[in-house]
Amino acid sequence: MIPHHPERHRTHRIGWLRAAVLGANDGIVSTASLIVGIAASHASHNNIILAGVAGLVAGAMSMAAGEYVSVSSQADTEQADLKRERKELDEDGHHEQKELAAIYVSRGLDPLLAEQVAVQLMDHDALGAHARDELGISETGTARPIQAALTSAATFAVGAMLPLLIVMLAPDTDLIVPVSSASLLFLTLLGILAAYTGGSGIIKGAARVVFWGALAMGLTAAVGSVFGTVV
């Protein structure tokens, strides 16, 4: 008897992990950049906090709406493809069986074995077999609009709260340095956490979010300093 070998894969995390990382990253970067830019324009402490809170609320809602619309479009496309595939199976199941067997042959199976596999899989779940192997639609990768929207909105709000807390705790005289430094630290931790959860390289994951975050804050600070006005 072959011993059971437990395997841990991370593909089931793709949907919510992408939305969570995107939301938290945008929350930190956009809010920190907004705060740094307004602070560079010599705005009052109260105006900086007000702008940060407004950015948090608007950003969270924008993330939720954007994720829901985009992922819904993906879900609609998947459902349309499944509907078409279901119709083709009803109208010409034999042709669809040959099509599935051809896919397995292209992946390296012997034609006879590919035919046997196609027959058995279609007997078990014809639509599922074609969805997975012909259309590339699987349970782990299925679009979930509500999950993506809620995850993005929640993580954006959490990310945005971090630089806002620094504004509330730091001295009123100079907010640019503490907000920028703390936000880059938050982005580093986010990159490490996302890379660890997804099973990718930690240094690479941290470096890319820190780079883009620093670039965004630097450009926004420059704009605020040049124009010297509260946006």
Side-chain angles (χ1 to χ4, degrees), residues 4-84:
H4 177 63
H5 175 61
E7 295 184 356
R8 295 182 179 180
H9 298 288
R10 294 177 171 88
T11 53
H12 64 282
R13 301 174 178 172
I14 290 175
W16 66 263
L17 180 61
R18 181 194 65 83
V21 172
L22 178 63
N25 182 77
D26 276 8
I28 297 172
V29 172
S30 63
T31 306
S33 299
L34 181 64
I35 290 171
V36 168
I38 295 179
S41 71
H42 308 293
S44 68
H45 190 262
N46 287 338
N47 284 337
I48 293 174
I49 293 178
L50 177 61
V53 172
L56 185 157
V57 175
M61 294 306 299
S62 176
M63 288 294 295
E67 281 292 302
Y68 185 81
V69 170
S70 63
V71 180
S72 290
S73 297
Q74 177 187 340
D76 291 343
T77 301
E78 290 176 354
Q79 290 303 314
D81 282 344
L82 289 174
K83 182 178 179 180
R84 178 179 178 181

Side-chain angles (χ1 to χ4, degrees), residues 29 80-81 91 112 124 156 167 173 193 204 215:
V29 172
D81 282 344
E91 293 177 349
L112 180 59
H124 175 68
F156 182 98
V167 174
T173 53
L193 177 62
K204 180 180 179 181
L215 181 62

Side-chain angles (χ1 to χ4, degrees), residues 18-231:
R18 181 194 65 83
V21 172
L22 178 63
N25 182 77
D26 276 8
I28 297 172
V29 172
S30 63
T31 306
S33 299
L34 181 64
I35 290 171
V36 168
I38 295 179
S41 71
H42 308 293
S44 68
H45 190 262
N46 287 338
N47 284 337
I48 293 174
I49 293 178
L50 177 61
V53 172
L56 185 157
V57 175
M61 294 306 299
S62 176
M63 288 294 295
E67 281 292 302
Y68 185 81
V69 170
S70 63
V71 180
S72 290
S73 297
Q74 177 187 340
D76 291 343
T77 301
E78 290 176 354
Q79 290 303 314
D81 282 344
L82 289 174
K83 182 178 179 180
R84 178 179 178 181
E85 194 64 33
R86 187 180 292 107
K87 180 181 178 181
E88 291 175 351
L89 285 168
D90 291 338
E91 293 177 349
D92 193 350
H94 182 70
H95 173 75
E96 293 300 306
Q97 179 182 306
K98 294 293 183 183
E99 188 176 46
L100 195 61
I103 293 173
Y104 298 144
V105 170
S106 69
R107 294 178 181 176
L109 289 186
D110 177 86
L112 180 59
L113 178 58
E115 185 72 24
Q116 294 173 343
V117 172
V119 170
Q120 291 187 36
L121 287 179
M122 288 189 63
D123 287 343
H124 175 68
D125 181 6
L127 183 61
H130 280 269
R132 180 182 61 253
D133 295 321
E134 181 182 350
L135 304 177
I137 300 174
S138 64
E139 182 64 27
T140 56
T142 300
R144 296 178 175 86
I146 295 178
Q147 181 193 67
L150 293 178
T151 301
S152 292
T155 53
F156 182 98
V158 171
M161 275 301 301
L162 298 177
L164 267 176
L165 288 174
I166 302 301
V167 174
M168 296 174 183
L169 297 174
D172 297 354
T173 53
D174 185 15
L175 291 174
I176 295 178
V177 173
V179 170
S180 299
S181 301
S183 296
L184 290 177
L185 175 61
F186 296 146
L187 287 172
T188 301
L189 295 175
L190 174 64
I192 292 173
L193 177 62
Y196 175 78
T197 306
S200 59
I202 291 178
I203 295 177
K204 180 180 179 181
R208 59 191 176 198
V209 294
V210 169
F211 170 78
W212 289 107
L215 181 62
M217 284 183 277
L219 291 176
T220 311
V223 170
S225 179
V226 169
F227 289 95
T229 56
V230 179
V231 180

